[in-house]
Amino acid sequence: MTTLLLRGAAHVLTMDGADLADPDVRIDGGAITEVGHALERGESAEMDVSGCILTPGLVNTHHHLFQTLTRAVPAAQDALLFGWLKTLYPIWARFGPDEMRLSARIGLAELALSGCTTSSDHLYLFPNGARLDDTIEAAVEVGLRFHATRGSMSIGESAGGLPPDALVEREADILDDCIRLIDAFHDPAPGAMLRIGVAPCSPFSVSRELMRDAAILARGKGVGLHTHLAENDEDVAYSIETFGCRPGTYAEELGWTGPDVWHAHCVKLDAAEIDLFARTGTGVAHCPCSNCRLGSGIAPVRQMRDAGVTVGLGVDGSASNDRGSLIDEARQAMLLQRVANGADAMAAREALEIATLGGAKALGRDDIGKIAVGYRADIAVWDISGLDSAGSWDPAALLLAGPRGVRDLFVEGRQIVGEGRVLTIDTTRATKDARKAVEKLSG
Ligand SMILES: [Zn+2]
């Protein structure tokens, strides 16, 4: 890979101690090799980034990429979580491999434009021959670093669960497929572009046994564990009624705490659960837009951070957002904590740290999330010469006033976005294909 020198940035938000004004950044072989002032050009190619702010690439810790083709479905627009799911399950049951790939391709391209360089995904239904392999294929095409988690549902309506029976799988088959995927795709090495996680959908769609067995399997294989937890009041009530305990206790009893676990939402964690997460190093994927969209509540992120809980951000599935912009999510995270706790509850820079370094930690990575020598070359370039930054006294406070999309984006040193356009896939074609897919799915 060619050495590239990003020359003359207005500002670099490093997430590694002090921010830097007017620095250059050198990328070589997928890693950041030099950060400093007036670096020698040497053999490097050069890109002018004057008038731009550099941040580490944003890290998305929770998504359901397959949902991109079911945005703004009228009957689901104003429903609460459980009603929303029941409206969408029958539509998702008509998906196959083509819909999975297309939906993921679009969702990942949209994320890239919003500054995201690493995304996790949580795919938990596999109708008509769809496989996790389909979304992995899309991630390779778009070029984002990818943590694909193998979701699952095993308790259908007839057994008292929420999903229709047609969308649930046998628990033995679920575990076998997790093993197949880990053996085929998981890369534990530093700089990995692809990792696999084990991710039963939620306590209300799988059995206690599957939760326990999934944790044992993931630990044996050295991969991460992910699920939804304590998303809203209904979710907590279900836990108390069905399992006789709150979600935190349920998770702890089944091995679902530790630095290799990250839970989505956690809107309703109480003080004891926050303490449990802090003590055990358990991570949280905070999804503020989805929590607003579904009226779930405001996650106690200020309290979590103060207690030492690892918090990253997630856009959540495109059907409960219905946008997939990670920079929007970071701004929303900042605003919601201010609604709950006052204007000094979260600074723009802290929210950006959650979106980058926080997400990296939640995914168990110590090689991304900073612009520092030795870290992977995952860099977002934000042009602050436009209208949306004009008049700002502090353009580095990107989440207060700044662009909502990147000018350029690098993942492992490779340019994925240039001049605000995705370079790796034909987005015009993908948009047309999405229109056709929606016609077919809604017809
Ligand atoms: Zn979710």
Side-chain angles (χ1 to χ4, degrees), residues 378-394:
D378 292 5
I379 297 174
V381 179
W382 308 88
D383 183 354
I384 51 163
S385 65
L387 280 178
D388 30 26
S389 297
S392 171
W393 289 35
D394 180 11

Side-chain angles (χ1 to χ4, degrees), residues 76-426:
Q77 283 182 16
D78 305 320
L80 287 177
L81 176 65
F82 285 12
W84 172 89
L85 280 169
K86 283 184 170 171
T87 305
L88 292 170
Y89 283 140
I91 304 175
W92 296 334
R94 299 210 288 274
F95 276 46
D98 290 346
E99 284 78 12
M100 291 296 180
R101 265 193 300 272
L102 174 61
S103 206
R105 207 181 289 138
I106 293 169
L108 289 164
E110 187 184 14
L111 278 173
L113 291 172
S114 77
C116 174
T117 50
T118 297
S119 184
S120 67
D121 186 43
H122 188 187
L123 178 57
Y124 52 79
L125 41 86
F126 302 89
N128 307 307
R131 301 191 305 166
L132 200 72
D133 314 45
D134 303 321
T135 50
I136 291 172
E137 210 174 284
V140 170
E141 257 182 90
V142 177
L144 257 56
R145 208 179 288 286
F146 198 46
H147 283 228
T149 67
R150 205 295 185 185
S152 51
M153 301 193 292
S154 63
I155 302 190
E157 264 172 332
S158 62
L162 205 63
D165 290 350
L167 283 179
V168 304
E169 299 173 274
R170 286 180 53 234
E171 299 199 340
D173 294 344
I174 292 166
L175 293 168
D176 282 349
D177 197 45
C178 287
I179 294 168
R180 174 187 74 81
L181 288 159
I182 295 164
D183 291 347
F185 294 111
H186 181 70
D187 179 3
M193 287 296 290
L194 180 58
R195 287 194 181 157
I196 303 295
V198 176
C201 185
S202 63
F204 56 81
S205 52
V206 303
S207 73
R208 179 184 275 272
E209 290 69 33
L210 184 64
M211 290 294 284
R212 188 199 55 215
D213 292 348
I216 293 168
L217 168 65
R219 298 247 153 75
K221 291 281 188 184
V223 304
L225 278 165
H226 183 51
T227 192
H228 294 96
L229 201 78
E231 181 164 351
N232 67 5
D233 289 328
E234 279 174 291
D235 196 352
V236 175
Y238 181 92
S239 182
I240 291 169
E241 196 180 307
T242 315
F243 310 123
C245 62
R246 288 187 51 87
T249 306
Y250 185 69
E252 189 181 24
E253 280 178 7
L254 298 172
W256 277 78
T257 50
D260 52 354
V261 184
W262 79 107
H263 292 286
H265 301 303
C266 300
V267 174
K268 297 295 175 181
L269 290 195
D270 66 13
E273 288 167 324
I274 290 173
D275 180 57
L276 169 70
F277 276 42
R279 273 189 287 115
T280 54
T282 308
V284 169
H286 174 44
C287 308
C289 289
S290 172
N291 298 157
C292 289
R293 158 77 167 77
L294 291 169
S296 301
I298 302 174
V301 171
R302 182 69 275 149
Q303 292 85 337
M304 291 178 193
R305 294 266 300 174
D306 289 347
V309 176
T310 299
V311 181
L313 291 184
V315 297
D316 201 6
S318 310
S320 69
N321 188 316
D322 298 62
R323 281 189 179 155
S325 163
L326 201 48
I327 192 73
D328 277 5
E329 212 66 42
R331 179 173 159 89
Q332 189 75 7
M334 171 188 77
L335 295 177
L336 266 190
Q337 291 311 303
R338 291 174 177 219
V339 171
N341 304 299
D344 59 353
M346 185 166 290
R349 281 173 173 76
E350 183 181 1
L352 201 62
E353 186 195 312
I354 294 172
T356 51
L357 192 56
K361 282 185 184 164
L363 295 185
R365 301 204 60 139
D366 57 7
D367 55 347
I368 57 172
K370 290 185 185 181
I371 295 184
V373 172
Y375 277 73
R376 306 317 300 170
D378 292 5
I379 297 174
V381 179
W382 308 88
D383 183 354
I384 51 163
S385 65
L387 280 178
D388 30 26
S389 297
S392 171
W393 289 35
D394 180 11
L398 272 183
L399 298 181
L400 288 171
R404 297 178 57 201
V406 288
R407 190 191 81 174
D408 308 296
L409 188 80
F410 295 88
V411 181
E412 191 69 5
R414 176 188 179 203
Q415 190 170 7
I416 303 296
V417 176
E419 299 297 332
R421 296 174 64 87
V422 176
L423 302 174
T424 46
I425 64 159
D426 181 347

